[in-house]
Short mmCIF file of all heavy atoms in Angstrom, two decimals:
data_model
loop_
_atom_site.label_atom_id
_atom_site.label_comp_id
_atom_site.label_asym_id
_atom_site.label_seq_id
_atom_site.Cartn_x
_atom_site.Cartn_y
_atom_site.Cartn_z
N TRP A 1 7.40 -1.23 -4.90
CA TRP A 1 6.25 -0.55 -4.31
C TRP A 1 6.32 0.96 -4.48
O TRP A 1 5.38 1.67 -4.13
CB TRP A 1 6.14 -0.91 -2.82
CG TRP A 1 5.91 -2.37 -2.61
CD1 TRP A 1 6.86 -3.34 -2.42
CD2 TRP A 1 4.66 -3.04 -2.57
NE1 TRP A 1 6.27 -4.57 -2.28
CE2 TRP A 1 4.91 -4.42 -2.35
CE3 TRP A 1 3.33 -2.62 -2.69
CZ2 TRP A 1 3.89 -5.37 -2.26
CZ3 TRP A 1 2.32 -3.56 -2.60
CH2 TRP A 1 2.60 -4.91 -2.39
N ARG A 2 7.44 1.45 -5.01
CA ARG A 2 7.62 2.89 -5.18
C ARG A 2 6.80 3.39 -6.36
O ARG A 2 6.75 2.76 -7.42
CB ARG A 2 9.11 3.17 -5.41
CG ARG A 2 9.46 4.64 -5.59
CD ARG A 2 10.96 4.79 -5.85
NE ARG A 2 11.36 4.10 -7.08
CZ ARG A 2 12.60 4.05 -7.54
NH1 ARG A 2 13.58 4.61 -6.83
NH2 ARG A 2 12.88 3.43 -8.67
N ALA A 3 6.16 4.55 -6.20
CA ALA A 3 5.37 5.12 -7.28
C ALA A 3 6.28 5.64 -8.39
O ALA A 3 7.38 6.13 -8.14
CB ALA A 3 4.51 6.26 -6.76
N LEU A 4 5.82 5.51 -9.63
CA LEU A 4 6.56 6.07 -10.76
C LEU A 4 6.45 7.59 -10.74
O LEU A 4 5.50 8.15 -10.17
CB LEU A 4 6.01 5.52 -12.07
CG LEU A 4 6.17 4.01 -12.31
CD1 LEU A 4 5.58 3.64 -13.66
CD2 LEU A 4 7.62 3.60 -12.25
N PRO A 5 7.38 8.30 -11.40
CA PRO A 5 7.35 9.77 -11.37
C PRO A 5 6.29 10.38 -12.28
O PRO A 5 6.20 11.60 -12.38
CB PRO A 5 8.76 10.15 -11.85
CG PRO A 5 9.18 9.01 -12.71
CD PRO A 5 8.57 7.79 -12.08
N CYS A 6 5.50 9.54 -12.95
CA CYS A 6 4.41 10.05 -13.78
C CYS A 6 3.20 9.15 -13.59
O CYS A 6 3.30 8.02 -13.10
CB CYS A 6 4.81 10.11 -15.25
SG CYS A 6 5.05 8.49 -16.01
N ASP A 7 2.03 9.66 -13.98
CA ASP A 7 0.81 8.88 -13.89
C ASP A 7 0.85 7.76 -14.91
O ASP A 7 1.13 8.00 -16.10
CB ASP A 7 -0.39 9.81 -14.15
CG ASP A 7 -1.72 9.14 -13.80
OD1 ASP A 7 -1.89 7.95 -14.14
OD2 ASP A 7 -2.56 9.82 -13.20
N ALA A 8 0.58 6.53 -14.46
CA ALA A 8 0.61 5.38 -15.37
C ALA A 8 -0.35 5.59 -16.54
O ALA A 8 -0.10 5.13 -17.66
CB ALA A 8 0.26 4.10 -14.62
N GLY A 9 -1.46 6.27 -16.30
CA GLY A 9 -2.43 6.51 -17.36
C GLY A 9 -1.95 7.46 -18.43
O GLY A 9 -2.57 7.54 -19.51
N ASP A 10 -0.87 8.19 -18.17
CA ASP A 10 -0.33 9.13 -19.16
C ASP A 10 0.70 8.49 -20.08
O ASP A 10 1.20 9.14 -20.99
CB ASP A 10 0.31 10.33 -18.45
CG ASP A 10 -0.71 11.21 -17.76
OD1 ASP A 10 -1.89 11.17 -18.17
OD2 ASP A 10 -0.34 11.93 -16.81
N ILE A 11 1.04 7.23 -19.84
CA ILE A 11 2.00 6.53 -20.69
C ILE A 11 1.24 5.94 -21.88
O ILE A 11 0.29 5.18 -21.70
CB ILE A 11 2.74 5.43 -19.90
CG1 ILE A 11 3.54 6.05 -18.75
CG2 ILE A 11 3.66 4.63 -20.82
CD1 ILE A 11 4.17 5.03 -17.82
N GLU A 12 1.66 6.32 -23.09
CA GLU A 12 0.94 5.85 -24.27
C GLU A 12 1.29 4.41 -24.65
O GLU A 12 0.45 3.68 -25.17
CB GLU A 12 1.24 6.76 -25.48
CG GLU A 12 0.49 8.07 -25.49
CD GLU A 12 1.21 9.17 -24.74
OE1 GLU A 12 2.23 8.89 -24.07
OE2 GLU A 12 0.76 10.32 -24.83
N ALA A 13 2.54 4.02 -24.43
CA ALA A 13 2.96 2.69 -24.87
C ALA A 13 4.14 2.20 -24.03
O ALA A 13 4.90 3.00 -23.47
CB ALA A 13 3.36 2.71 -26.35
N VAL A 14 4.25 0.87 -23.95
CA VAL A 14 5.41 0.23 -23.35
C VAL A 14 6.01 -0.69 -24.40
O VAL A 14 5.30 -1.49 -25.03
CB VAL A 14 5.05 -0.60 -22.10
CG1 VAL A 14 6.30 -1.27 -21.52
CG2 VAL A 14 4.38 0.28 -21.04
N VAL A 15 7.30 -0.58 -24.61
CA VAL A 15 8.03 -1.49 -25.50
C VAL A 15 8.75 -2.50 -24.62
O VAL A 15 9.52 -2.12 -23.73
CB VAL A 15 9.04 -0.72 -26.38
CG1 VAL A 15 9.85 -1.69 -27.22
CG2 VAL A 15 8.33 0.29 -27.25
N VAL A 16 8.50 -3.79 -24.84
CA VAL A 16 9.12 -4.85 -24.04
C VAL A 16 10.13 -5.59 -24.90
O VAL A 16 9.77 -6.16 -25.94
CB VAL A 16 8.06 -5.83 -23.50
CG1 VAL A 16 8.72 -6.98 -22.74
CG2 VAL A 16 7.08 -5.09 -22.58
N THR A 17 11.39 -5.61 -24.46
CA THR A 17 12.44 -6.24 -25.26
C THR A 17 12.42 -7.76 -25.18
O THR A 17 12.75 -8.42 -26.15
CB THR A 17 13.83 -5.74 -24.84
OG1 THR A 17 14.06 -6.06 -23.46
CG2 THR A 17 13.96 -4.24 -25.07
N HIS A 18 12.03 -8.32 -24.02
CA HIS A 18 11.92 -9.77 -23.93
C HIS A 18 11.17 -10.14 -22.66
O HIS A 18 10.81 -9.28 -21.85
CB HIS A 18 13.29 -10.44 -23.99
CG HIS A 18 14.21 -10.13 -22.86
ND1 HIS A 18 14.84 -8.92 -22.70
CD2 HIS A 18 14.61 -10.89 -21.80
CE1 HIS A 18 15.59 -8.94 -21.62
NE2 HIS A 18 15.47 -10.13 -21.06
N ALA A 19 10.94 -11.44 -22.47
CA ALA A 19 9.97 -11.91 -21.48
C ALA A 19 10.54 -12.24 -20.11
O ALA A 19 9.81 -12.77 -19.27
CB ALA A 19 9.23 -13.15 -22.03
N HIS A 20 11.79 -11.94 -19.84
CA HIS A 20 12.29 -12.17 -18.49
C HIS A 20 11.62 -11.21 -17.51
O HIS A 20 11.33 -10.05 -17.84
CB HIS A 20 13.81 -12.01 -18.44
CG HIS A 20 14.55 -13.25 -18.85
ND1 HIS A 20 15.74 -13.21 -19.54
CD2 HIS A 20 14.26 -14.57 -18.67
CE1 HIS A 20 16.16 -14.46 -19.76
NE2 HIS A 20 15.27 -15.28 -19.24
N LEU A 21 11.44 -11.67 -16.27
CA LEU A 21 10.67 -10.93 -15.28
C LEU A 21 11.27 -9.56 -14.98
O LEU A 21 10.54 -8.60 -14.70
CB LEU A 21 10.59 -11.75 -13.98
CG LEU A 21 9.51 -11.39 -12.97
CD1 LEU A 21 8.12 -11.60 -13.55
CD2 LEU A 21 9.69 -12.21 -11.69
N ASP A 22 12.59 -9.46 -15.04
CA ASP A 22 13.23 -8.17 -14.75
C ASP A 22 13.08 -7.17 -15.88
O ASP A 22 13.55 -6.03 -15.78
CB ASP A 22 14.71 -8.37 -14.41
CG ASP A 22 15.48 -9.13 -15.46
OD1 ASP A 22 14.85 -9.84 -16.27
OD2 ASP A 22 16.72 -9.03 -15.49
N HIS A 23 12.39 -7.56 -16.96
CA HIS A 23 12.11 -6.65 -18.07
C HIS A 23 10.62 -6.47 -18.35
O HIS A 23 10.23 -5.53 -19.03
CB HIS A 23 12.82 -7.12 -19.34
CG HIS A 23 14.30 -6.99 -19.28
ND1 HIS A 23 15.00 -5.94 -19.88
CD2 HIS A 23 15.23 -7.75 -18.67
CE1 HIS A 23 16.29 -6.08 -19.64
NE2 HIS A 23 16.46 -7.17 -18.91
N CYS A 24 9.79 -7.39 -17.82
CA CYS A 24 8.34 -7.27 -18.08
C CYS A 24 7.49 -7.45 -16.83
O CYS A 24 6.28 -7.24 -16.88
CB CYS A 24 7.91 -8.27 -19.15
SG CYS A 24 7.86 -10.01 -18.59
N GLY A 25 8.08 -7.83 -15.71
CA GLY A 25 7.31 -8.25 -14.55
C GLY A 25 6.55 -7.18 -13.81
O GLY A 25 5.70 -7.48 -12.96
N TYR A 26 6.81 -5.89 -14.12
CA TYR A 26 6.07 -4.79 -13.46
C TYR A 26 4.82 -4.40 -14.24
O TYR A 26 4.02 -3.61 -13.76
CB TYR A 26 7.01 -3.58 -13.31
CG TYR A 26 6.47 -2.47 -12.43
CD1 TYR A 26 6.59 -2.53 -11.04
CD2 TYR A 26 5.85 -1.35 -12.99
CE1 TYR A 26 6.12 -1.51 -10.23
CE2 TYR A 26 5.37 -0.32 -12.18
CZ TYR A 26 5.50 -0.42 -10.80
OH TYR A 26 5.02 0.60 -10.01
N LEU A 27 4.63 -4.97 -15.43
CA LEU A 27 3.51 -4.56 -16.28
C LEU A 27 2.15 -4.65 -15.58
O LEU A 27 1.36 -3.69 -15.66
CB LEU A 27 3.50 -5.40 -17.56
CG LEU A 27 4.50 -4.99 -18.65
CD1 LEU A 27 4.55 -6.07 -19.73
CD2 LEU A 27 4.13 -3.64 -19.26
N PRO A 28 1.80 -5.75 -14.92
CA PRO A 28 0.49 -5.79 -14.27
C PRO A 28 0.32 -4.74 -13.18
O PRO A 28 -0.79 -4.26 -12.94
CB PRO A 28 0.42 -7.21 -13.69
CG PRO A 28 1.38 -8.01 -14.52
CD PRO A 28 2.49 -7.05 -14.82
N ARG A 29 1.40 -4.38 -12.52
CA ARG A 29 1.34 -3.30 -11.52
C ARG A 29 1.05 -1.97 -12.22
O ARG A 29 0.26 -1.16 -11.72
CB ARG A 29 2.67 -3.23 -10.77
CG ARG A 29 2.72 -2.18 -9.67
CD ARG A 29 1.92 -2.58 -8.46
NE ARG A 29 2.05 -1.63 -7.37
CZ ARG A 29 1.39 -1.74 -6.22
NH1 ARG A 29 0.56 -2.76 -6.02
NH2 ARG A 29 1.55 -0.85 -5.26
N LEU A 30 1.69 -1.76 -13.37
CA LEU A 30 1.44 -0.54 -14.14
C LEU A 30 -0.02 -0.48 -14.57
O LEU A 30 -0.66 0.58 -14.52
CB LEU A 30 2.36 -0.51 -15.35
CG LEU A 30 2.48 0.81 -16.11
CD1 LEU A 30 3.27 1.83 -15.29
CD2 LEU A 30 3.16 0.59 -17.46
N VAL A 31 -0.56 -1.60 -15.00
CA VAL A 31 -1.96 -1.67 -15.41
C VAL A 31 -2.87 -1.44 -14.22
O VAL A 31 -3.89 -0.73 -14.31
CB VAL A 31 -2.25 -3.02 -16.09
CG1 VAL A 31 -3.74 -3.24 -16.30
CG2 VAL A 31 -1.51 -3.10 -17.43
N ARG A 32 -2.53 -2.00 -13.08
CA ARG A 32 -3.33 -1.77 -11.86
C ARG A 32 -3.41 -0.29 -11.54
O ARG A 32 -4.43 0.19 -11.02
CB ARG A 32 -2.72 -2.55 -10.69
CG ARG A 32 -3.40 -2.28 -9.36
CD ARG A 32 -2.87 -3.15 -8.25
NE ARG A 32 -3.50 -4.47 -8.25
CZ ARG A 32 -3.58 -5.26 -7.16
NH1 ARG A 32 -3.06 -4.87 -6.01
NH2 ARG A 32 -4.17 -6.44 -7.24
N HIS A 33 -2.36 0.46 -11.87
CA HIS A 33 -2.33 1.89 -11.57
C HIS A 33 -2.89 2.75 -12.71
O HIS A 33 -2.78 3.98 -12.65
CB HIS A 33 -0.91 2.33 -11.22
CG HIS A 33 -0.50 1.97 -9.83
ND1 HIS A 33 -0.94 2.64 -8.72
CD2 HIS A 33 0.29 0.97 -9.36
CE1 HIS A 33 -0.44 2.10 -7.63
NE2 HIS A 33 0.31 1.07 -7.99
#
């Protein structure tokens, strides 16, 4: 629930190494922001 130190809209790209939740599970939250 903690805010990231930058605006999510300022991030140009996310590189995802694999599909486990601890590596990709925050993506929808990032998109929500």
Side-chain angles (χ1 to χ4, degrees):
W1 297 91
R2 180 182 62 181
L4 296 180
C6 68
D7 192 317
D10 291 337
I11 298 173
E12 282 88 351
V14 179
V15 176
V16 176
T17 60
H18 65 287
H20 276 145
L21 198 64
D22 54 340
H23 290 259
C24 73
Y26 191 83
L27 281 169
R29 182 73 175 177
L30 193 71
V31 169
R32 174 175 277 204
H33 282 285

